[in-house]
């Protein structure tokens, strides 16, 4: 007789054990359940069941970590606006070909895998996970991840090629993000590369400190 062993409830990322699961949060008397979802603990990054609830005209997300307790955050400040936005929610058929395999659960296996439903509308291009800030809620910067992620220009070129080859429809808008993308010395060259590839809409997700240190950089990026 073959005995099936229980699946391990953790996986490793950069040598760190990330655990899965926890108690499902309770809906309180003054609240209305909106939907079930999942989230992570901001302390240990455990993947947790979570709920969205409506209370006092706003939407909140709640999760409970077995080790660090309950967390609740404002998810959407206006519940009516949330419902209006959700009317545009569409589950598509995904894209072909997937960019990565689902080796670990979201958000630790970044990339467009077979679990993605929709085609790319705005591509998030992570150019570094280095950052000059220390935001408590961020799980992606290098100190917390345990390693530096910083693709070369050649690798970025291939990423954009993948986006432009997506079927049934490819994206043509890119948000450069991180970490803090302005920590890269070649950030202007990255913008120029995107322009050469034919990307027509480019966003830069930054906290802007580098613009105070290098005010000319804003002009160079605008003209790239």
């Amino acid at each position: 007789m073959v005995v099936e062993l229980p699946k391990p409830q953790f996986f490793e990322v950069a040598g760190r054990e990330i655990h899965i699961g926890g108690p499902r949060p309770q809906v309180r008397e003054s609240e209305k359940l909106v939907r079930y979802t999942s989230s992570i603990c901001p302390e240990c990054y455990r993947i947790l069941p979570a709920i969205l609830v409506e209370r006092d005209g706003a939407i909140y997300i709640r999760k409970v970590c077995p080790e660090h307790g309950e967390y609740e955050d404002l998810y959407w400040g206006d519940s009516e606006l949330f419902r209006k936005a959700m009317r545009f929610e569409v589950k598509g058929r995904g894209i072909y070909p997937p960019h990565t395999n689902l080796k670990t659960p979201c958000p630790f296996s970044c990339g467009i895998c077979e679990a993605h439903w929709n085609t790319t509308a705005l591509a998030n291009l992570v150019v570094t996970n280095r950052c000059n800030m220390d935001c408590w809620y961020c799980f992606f910067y290098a100190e917390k991840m345990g390693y530096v992620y910083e693709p070369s220009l050649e690798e970025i070129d291939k990423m954009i090629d993948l986006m432009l080859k997506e079927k049934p429809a490819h994206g043509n808008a890119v948000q450069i993000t991180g970490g803090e993308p302005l920590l890269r010395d070649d950030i202007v060259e990255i913008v120029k590369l995107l322009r050469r590839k034919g990307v027509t809409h480019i966003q830069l997700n930054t906290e802007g400190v580098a613009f105070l240190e290098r005010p000319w950089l804003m002009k160079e990026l605008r003209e790239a």
Side-chain angles (χ1 to χ4, degrees), residues 106-124:
C106 286
F108 297 96
S109 186
C110 290
I112 299 180
C113 67
E114 60 269 22
H116 281 253
W117 288 326
N118 296 329
T119 54
T120 302
L122 175 66
N124 284 313

Side-chain angles (χ1 to χ4, degrees), residues 87-193:
R87 291 204 298 266
F88 297 94
E89 184 180 29
V90 175
K91 291 184 179 180
R93 295 173 295 173
I95 67 162
Y96 180 84
H99 296 180
T100 186
N101 296 322
L102 190 60
K103 297 177 181 178
T104 57
C106 286
F108 297 96
S109 186
C110 290
I112 299 180
C113 67
E114 60 269 22
H116 281 253
W117 288 326
N118 296 329
T119 54
T120 302
L122 175 66
N124 284 313
L125 176 61
V126 178
V127 296
T128 183
N129 66 347
R130 292 185 295 129
C131 191
N132 50 353
M133 305 293 280
D134 187 17
C135 301
W136 67 268
Y137 52 81
C138 181
F139 60 86
F140 192 68
Y141 77 104
E143 183 178 340
K144 287 190 177 180
M145 291 299 290
Y147 60 90
V148 172
Y149 170 80
E150 202 154 286
S152 65
L153 288 175
E154 291 75 17
E155 289 169 327
I156 292 172
D157 187 281
K158 292 178 181 178
M159 292 176 190
I160 301 304
D161 279 343
L162 279 174
M163 181 189 75
L164 296 176
K165 291 177 181 177
E166 289 175 4
K167 296 179 180 180
H170 67 76
N172 199 33
V174 173
Q175 181 183 93
I176 302 172
T177 186
E180 172 46 58
L182 295 184
L183 291 182
R184 286 196 59 146
D185 294 333
D186 58 354
I187 186 63
V188 174
E189 294 306 313
I190 292 174
V191 174
K192 289 180 179 179
L193 185 154

Side-chain angles (χ1 to χ4, degrees), residues 7-117:
K7 295 180 180 179
Q9 295 300 301
F10 66 89
F11 55 93
E12 286 195 3
V13 174
R16 173 185 291 162
E17 284 189 1
I18 306 295
H19 290 261
I20 304 172
R24 176 172 287 177
Q26 298 298 310
V27 180
R28 295 169 185 146
E29 289 186 6
S30 59
E31 299 172 337
K32 177 182 178 182
L33 177 66
V34 176
R35 67 171 59 173
Y36 295 105
T37 184
S38 61
S39 186
I40 63 172
C41 172
E43 296 292 334
C44 64
Y45 316 126
R46 175 189 285 264
I47 297 177
L48 299 167
I51 56 173
L52 298 184
V53 295
E54 181 178 353
R55 185 179 72 242
D56 299 328
I59 307 295
Y60 295 86
I61 184 170
R62 184 182 303 132
K63 56 207 171 187
V64 180
C65 175
E67 183 177 354
H68 298 101
E70 181 179 288
Y71 294 90
E72 180 180 279
D73 295 285
L74 180 66
Y75 188 83
W76 203 295
D78 187 318
S79 57
E80 288 298 323
L81 187 59
F82 172 80
R83 280 190 285 270
K84 182 178 180 180
M86 288 302 101
R87 291 204 298 266
F88 297 94
E89 184 180 29
V90 175
K91 291 184 179 180
R93 295 173 295 173
I95 67 162
Y96 180 84
H99 296 180
T100 186
N101 296 322
L102 190 60
K103 297 177 181 178
T104 57
C106 286
F108 297 96
S109 186
C110 290
I112 299 180
C113 67
E114 60 269 22
H116 281 253
W117 288 326

